[in-house]
Every structure is written in structure tokens, then in C-alpha cells.
Amino acid sequence: MNSKEQIVITGLGVEIPGLGSMQHLLALPGPLPPAEFDPTPKLQQRGLRYKNRATQLALCAVHDALLDAGLPEAKVEEPETTGVVVSSNLGNVDTVCRMVQTIREGSVVDLSPMDLPNASSNVIATTIAIRFGCRATNLMLCNGATSGIDALWLAANIIRAGRAHRMIVVGVEPRNEFVARLMAESRVGERVREGAGNVTGEALCLADGAACLVLEAAEAAFSRGARVYGKVSSYRYFPPQADLVLSLQQVLDSCPFRPRFWLTPNQSCTEAHFLVDRMLATWEGYRPETLDLNLALGELYGALGVFQALVAALWLDQRQGADDTSDSSVWLTSGGTWGDGMACLVIS
């Protein structure tokens, strides 16, 4: 396959307890309150027993994305050419912590054998591949705050390299007591690095959900008459020590069209908030629409980039037919938090 082959988005799926419709992601007033989650209406009972919450959320999002892409949700077509990439930093933390606690209070003989498969960090990706019959590349990415955008670019490159014709990309983070404690303690460390004094643990607003995109080579998508939301364009990564304002300005200057919509990093972090303000001040002549999904959904962490790409696709889809979209593009940026670098991706 041509290394410059365009990679397009053909399917969207999301599973957030309490969210009525994907379209609501474009105008959420604030984080949703905790809601009941029942995966059985979409997935039935088969194969759900002993699956952790992150895996169940991800399976539901994949189910919806395959339907949206016009693909069979039971078993995918051409399984040898369909792969999976999942991004999650906290997906099975609850299982691992619970097992450690059990061993600490007793011994290894007290562990449930049903928990052991879920102790592997790649359990979400492998479960998706098994359930939907995907036999191409299978990856689980736990890559910090940039992980979601990294997963999208990896999936696009896998298609360009001819390792797959279609990739299912998922970002998922669950909300539970173990995740809440871990993230609160991590926030203390982040505030110390920022120079805040008298820092104590605080309750974070955590996201709870999964987003899924189906990526395909443009030629393959058009040949089957698939609906196309947009294409995956340029990607850049900047290490933590980089001057992020200067780096992002260079990316902006290299874009053929200025982005009309910017999905920002988590602005509850002081450094990220300062970065967004600085960047907006440099964009003379116009101010793009902006959205911080972390403020709308809670801390998305490793799932942020995939959620951003899904919202970018929805935003572009809304514009189709309304006016000329030839110069429309959306800027995704994640990272610059939790001591991580920053990734930037353009969807056009």
C-alpha cells in the first residue's frame, strides 16, 4: 500500500453511562452524574461474565462504531485484515489493585482464577479482537496523557504499512474507587511539580466511558460506499522539556488551513490552561471554536485523544452541507499534564 494513502474515519461509537446521544458531546454543560451501566442490551449476556468495566464499556462502543460504519457487529468482514488498537492507562487498575490487596491480606491461594486474565493490561484489546473476530494487528497502548492520539496515528500507520485494511481504535477509562485514589495521589505530585504549596489530596472528577473510531484506507472505504467523516492528517509529538507554545505555533504555521475547531488538552492543569491562552493570543485575525472534553466529561487521560477525534468527526459532519468544508480542519491536542509530553493531530 502507498505510504501516503489517505486514512479516513468511517465509523463512530461511544459508551458513556447517562449520555443520551453522541451529538450531546458537542454541547455538554458539564460532567454527567454517575449513572447505571448495563451492557446487555447491546452485547447480550454472551461472554460478559467476569469482564471488567473498562472492557464492557469498550465492547459497547465498538458495537456501535461497527454499526455506524455499515459493518456486521457480530463478526467483522475480512477478519485477517481488521486490527485493533486500544488506549487506556487505567483500564484494569481495579483488578490489579484488588488482587494485590487480596494477596496482602491473605495469600495467592485466595485469588479468584477468574481475575487472572483481567490482570493483563492488554485484556481490553484482546477481548475486542476475540469477540469481533479481528485477526490483524492487536495493540494495547498505555502511553500516558498522549496515548489516545498516539493510538490513532499508530492505527493509521498500520494501515499505510499494509498490515491491515481497517483498524478499530478505542479509548476507554473507567471510574472506580481504585482509579479515584490513584489519580488523586498523582494530582498531588503534579501540583508539587507546578510549585503549589501545602498540597493535599483532592477528589478529581473522573470520566467513565469509551469511544471508538473505525479507520480505513480511503480507497477501500470509497469502494464499499462507506460514509466518510474526515481524514487523519498530520501528527506531531513534543517531549515534556519542549517549548510547547513555540512547538504548537510551528505546527499551526505548517497547516495549509487554520483549524476552525480546537479540542484542547486538560485545562484543569495550570500549565495546559496557560498554553491554551498563549496560543489563542497568537492566532491573529480569528479565534477558533474550542472545547475541553475533560471539563465536559471529567479526566479522560488515556482515552482523551480518541474522544477528541470522535467529536472532531461529529463537528465536521455537522458542517457538511451547511457550507464549503474544503478548508475545514480540527486540531486535537492532548498531554502537557501528569508530567507527559504533548501530541497533536489534525482531522480534516
Side-chain angles (χ1 to χ4, degrees), residues 1 157-165:
M1 181 174 292
N157 284 340
I158 287 168
I159 297 174
R160 292 190 183 103
R163 295 290 300 273
H165 292 165

Side-chain angles (χ1 to χ4, degrees), residues 12-23:
L12 306 176
V14 67
E15 184 63 41
I16 301 176
L19 182 72
S21 165
M22 280 195 299
Q23 301 296 332

Side-chain angles (χ1 to χ4, degrees), residues 203-220:
L204 284 173
C205 179
L206 299 172
D208 184 39
C212 176
L213 277 72
V214 177
L215 302 187
E216 297 186 62
E219 184 178 348

Side-chain angles (χ1 to χ4, degrees), residues 65-341:
L66 291 174
L67 281 176
D68 187 58
L71 299 168
E73 75 280 8
K75 292 290 182 180
V76 297
E77 298 172 339
E78 301 177 322
E80 289 79 10
T81 62
T82 302
V84 179
V85 177
V86 176
S87 174
S88 180
N89 295 321
L90 304 163
N92 69 332
V93 161
D94 53 338
T95 300
V96 174
C97 290
R98 189 172 60 249
M99 292 177 69
V100 170
Q101 186 175 330
T102 298
I103 294 172
R104 187 174 184 178
E105 294 173 354
S107 69
V108 292
V109 300
D110 298 317
L111 293 175
S112 167
M114 299 298 102
D115 266 343
L116 294 178
N118 293 324
S120 174
S121 61
N122 72 338
V123 64
I124 306 172
T126 54
T127 301
I128 291 170
I130 291 169
R131 184 177 184 101
F132 297 102
C134 307
R135 299 178 188 171
T137 304
N138 184 273
L139 291 175
M140 183 74 204
L141 205 62
C142 309
N143 204 34
T146 66
S147 190
I149 287 180
D150 297 338
L152 288 160
W153 191 243
L154 279 171
N157 284 340
I158 287 168
I159 297 174
R160 292 190 183 103
R163 295 290 300 273
H165 292 165
R166 179 185 302 122
M167 291 296 295
I168 295 169
V169 186
V170 178
V172 57
E173 296 290 14
R175 179 169 55 210
N176 54 61
E177 60 177 311
F178 297 104
V179 167
R181 188 170 66 211
L182 175 65
M183 294 296 280
E185 291 174 358
S186 297
R187 175 52 62 90
V188 170
E190 184 182 38
R191 292 293 171 83
V192 169
R193 286 192 298 271
E194 291 177 351
N198 300 320
V199 179
T200 59
E202 59 181 276
L204 284 173
C205 179
L206 299 172
D208 184 39
C212 176
L213 277 72
V214 177
L215 302 187
E216 297 186 62
E219 184 178 348
F222 294 140
S223 67
R224 71 178 185 87
R227 174 187 190 176
V228 172
Y229 288 95
K231 66 178 181 179
V232 178
S233 298
S234 57
Y235 164 91
R236 292 286 297 276
Y237 170 79
F238 310 106
Q241 63 271 22
D243 182 331
L244 294 179
V245 173
L246 177 61
S247 299
L248 289 177
Q249 184 62 54
Q250 291 172 346
V251 172
L252 191 65
D253 292 341
S254 68
C255 291
F257 300 108
R258 293 266 172 151
R260 297 189 184 186
F261 188 28
W262 182 17
L263 290 149
T264 72
N266 188 354
Q267 294 189 64
S268 66
C269 169
T270 304
E271 292 179 353
H273 183 73
F274 174 73
L275 171 69
V276 172
D277 284 346
R278 284 279 306 277
M279 282 302 302
L280 290 175
T282 67
W283 291 0
E284 298 179 359
Y286 85 109
R287 186 182 181 92
E289 184 181 349
T290 62
L291 178 63
D292 183 350
L293 285 174
N294 294 282
L295 298 180
L297 296 172
E299 172 65 63
L300 282 159
Y301 202 19
L304 175 59
V306 183
F307 271 90
Q308 287 178 327
L310 183 142
V311 169
L314 291 174
W315 185 84
L316 288 168
D317 189 54
Q318 275 192 355
R319 292 182 62 83
Q320 290 187 25
D323 56 13
D324 179 25
T325 59
S326 60
D327 65 342
S328 293
S329 63
V330 184
W331 215 23
L332 323 181
T333 50
S334 64
T337 58
W338 309 103
D340 293 327

